């Protein structure tokens, strides 16, 4: 499971890089428009996931700003990582 999270985070980081690169130096054709739309959708969804993260994990784990940034940047892959931390904490 750990390698899936790492691979997912790498893919997400690559997607962010492509979308931000498109803002600086737009690609030709429709791909630039598609990447701009994907950037807007991604920002919206990751904000929503950060709110979910705060709601679910605020009482279970001590959270710092970097934790919220992780969830915003990597979305569901960070949520799964923090979920595993909570489950490990409950087992011990």
């Amino acid at each position: 499971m750990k390698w899936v999270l790492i691979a997912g985070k790498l893919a997400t980081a690559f997607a962010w890089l492509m979308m931000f690169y498109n803002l600086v130096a737009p690609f030709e054709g429709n791909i630039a428009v598609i990447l701009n739309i994907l950037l807007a959708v991604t920002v919206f969804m990751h904000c929503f996931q950060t709110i979910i993260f705060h709601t679910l994990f605020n009482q279970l784990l001590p959270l710092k700003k970097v934790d919220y940034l992780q969830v915003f940047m990597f979305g569901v892959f960070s949520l799964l990582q923090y979920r595993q931390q909570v489950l490990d904490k409950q087992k011990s």
Side-chain angles (χ1 to χ4, degrees), residues 11-72:
T12 304
F14 179 73
W16 278 110
L17 283 172
M18 291 300 294
M19 290 183 286
F20 280 121
Y21 179 79
N22 183 58
L23 289 177
V24 175
F27 295 104
E28 292 187 25
N30 291 335
I31 193 73
V33 175
I34 292 169
L35 285 173
N36 287 334
I37 292 169
L38 284 175
L39 178 62
V41 170
T42 301
V43 168
F44 175 77
M45 290 304 296
H46 283 228
C47 285
F48 186 64
Q49 289 174 346
T50 304
I51 292 168
I52 290 171
F53 173 70
H54 175 75
T55 304
L56 292 177
F57 294 106
N58 192 31
Q59 300 297 323
L60 302 172
L61 293 172
L63 299 176
K64 299 178 180 137
K65 289 181 183 180
V66 71
D67 297 324
Y68 292 104
L69 182 61
Q70 284 270 337
V71 172
F72 180 77

